[in-house]
Amino acid sequence: MQPLFTQYCDGRQVTCPGWLSQWGSASLGEQGRDYISILKNYYGNIYIDRAPIVSGVPVSFPGSSLQIGSTGNDVRTIQNQLNAISNHYPAIPKLRVDGVYGQQTADSVKAFQKIFNMPQTGVVDFATWYRISHIYVAVTKLATLV
């Protein structure tokens, strides 16, 4: 339930005896140890839960802006996220999630941009991608402050 403390110890220039290190863990990996046993080697008997599938986690900006004519999984991601956001901001029109960036997707993006005081271009550029991602995480409660 708490994060593990780590720091950079390359094992050559910076040593941290008994702590996880880049070369120490590499050596254990070369011996055939899996990542769980490597972590336990440094941190003792820790519990690590494995998720079979992680869904709903936002993805990184695809590297180029999405606009009318764009297609694919990145468009689907934005369409899904905008639909989730529209549950809390009904001025954002719902979209058919089809992976095709048409006029309806552009209109939904413009509505989002207007609500969140961004230039209303209808294009998902770097800034819009991460603002959508940020709001999506907030409204779906993927992350919470403790």
Side-chain angles (χ1 to χ4, degrees), residues 80-94:
N80 276 315
Q81 291 180 358
L82 286 170
N83 281 343
I85 294 167
S86 73
N87 292 331
H88 300 273
Y89 295 90
I92 299 172
K94 289 278 189 189

Side-chain angles (χ1 to χ4, degrees), residues 5-74:
F5 173 73
T6 62
Q7 69 182 40
Y8 181 74
C9 301
D10 68 6
R12 296 197 178 167
Q13 294 179 15
V14 178
T15 58
C16 307
W19 291 13
L20 182 65
S21 71
Q22 178 180 350
W23 294 108
S25 59
S27 174
L28 293 172
E30 288 166 358
Q31 294 171 23
R33 307 257 310 259
D34 70 348
Y35 70 95
I36 301 282
S37 68
I38 292 171
L39 288 171
K40 287 183 176 184
N41 180 74
Y42 289 100
Y43 296 108
N45 193 21
I46 58 173
Y47 173 75
I48 298 176
D49 196 8
R50 297 181 190 193
I53 296 175
V54 177
S55 65
V57 177
V59 296
S60 298
F61 180 67
S64 59
S65 297
L66 302 178
Q67 57 196 345
I68 291 177
S70 298
T71 60
N73 287 330
D74 296 320

